[in-house]
Amino acid sequence: MKFFLSLLAALLVALCLLMAVSLRTNEARFRAIEARLAPAEPVHEVGITMAWIQRWTDKLGRAAAAENWELADFYLHEIEETAGDLINAGVVDEGHDISALVRTMLMPAVESVEEAVKARDAALFDRRYTAMIQTCNACHVATAHGQVQIAVPPAALNPWSQEFRPAP
C-alpha cells in the first residue's frame, strides 16, 4: 500500500511538472503570435477611423429620428471616443494635421449635437446634426478630399439590421 501511495504521489508530481511546462510553452506561443499580430507602433489609418465615425454618425441620426435618446447618447460617445483616439494620436496625413482638424472642427459640432440629445429636442437635433455633417464635408474639402461627401441618411434605408426605436 505504501509503495502504491508513493507511486501515485510521484505520478502526481510528474503530471504537475508536465502541466507547468505545457502552460509555459503555450504562453510563449501566444506571446509570439501576439508579437506578430501587433504592429511595432500603433497604426492610425485615417480612412478606417473616419469610416467608424461615419458609421456612428449614421446610427446616431437613426436613433434620434426614432427618438431613442439613450441610444443616440451611446453613439455620440462612440463618436467622441473614436475622434479622441484620432486627436490623441497626433495624426498628420498627406500634410494635413488631421488630429487638429478633428479637435477644432468635429468636436465642437459633436458637443452641440450632444446638447440637443440631452435636451431630447428633435428639431434642435436635426439642425445640429445637419451642421455636424456639413462640418465633416468642410473638413474633407480642407484636406483635399472633397469628393468624400457625407449626407444625412435617408430614413427609409436601414442597412444595419438594427432596431433604432426604444425597447418597449
Side-chain angles (χ1 to χ4, degrees), residues 127-143:
R127 288 191 305 277
R128 292 192 174 175
Y129 181 74
T130 299
M132 183 178 84
I133 289 176
Q134 290 169 347
T135 299
C136 293
N137 291 328
C139 189
H140 296 161
V141 169
T143 58

Side-chain angles (χ1 to χ4, degrees), residues 108-147:
V110 170
E111 289 166 5
S112 74
V113 171
E114 191 168 29
E115 292 172 9
V117 169
K118 286 182 179 173
R120 297 176 178 242
D121 185 329
L124 181 61
F125 176 87
D126 288 343
R127 288 191 305 277
R128 292 192 174 175
Y129 181 74
T130 299
M132 183 178 84
I133 289 176
Q134 290 169 347
T135 299
C136 293
N137 291 328
C139 189
H140 296 161
V141 169
T143 58
H145 288 86
Q147 70 275 20

Side-chain angles (χ1 to χ4, degrees), residues 14-65:
L15 183 60
C16 287
L17 286 173
L18 184 60
M19 286 177 54
V21 169
S22 178
L23 287 174
R24 284 187 182 209
T25 302
N26 284 339
E27 187 177 323
R29 281 190 211 145
F30 290 138
R31 271 195 250 119
I33 290 169
E34 286 176 344
R36 284 194 305 257
L37 293 176
E41 293 182 25
V43 176
H44 302 287
E45 175 57 45
V46 176
I48 291 170
T49 305
M50 290 298 168
W52 279 106
I53 291 173
Q54 181 183 6
R55 179 181 188 151
W56 304 143
T57 299
D58 185 5
K59 288 186 170 201
L60 164 65
R62 292 174 189 286

Side-chain angles (χ1 to χ4, degrees), residues 92 106 167:
V92 175
L106 179 61

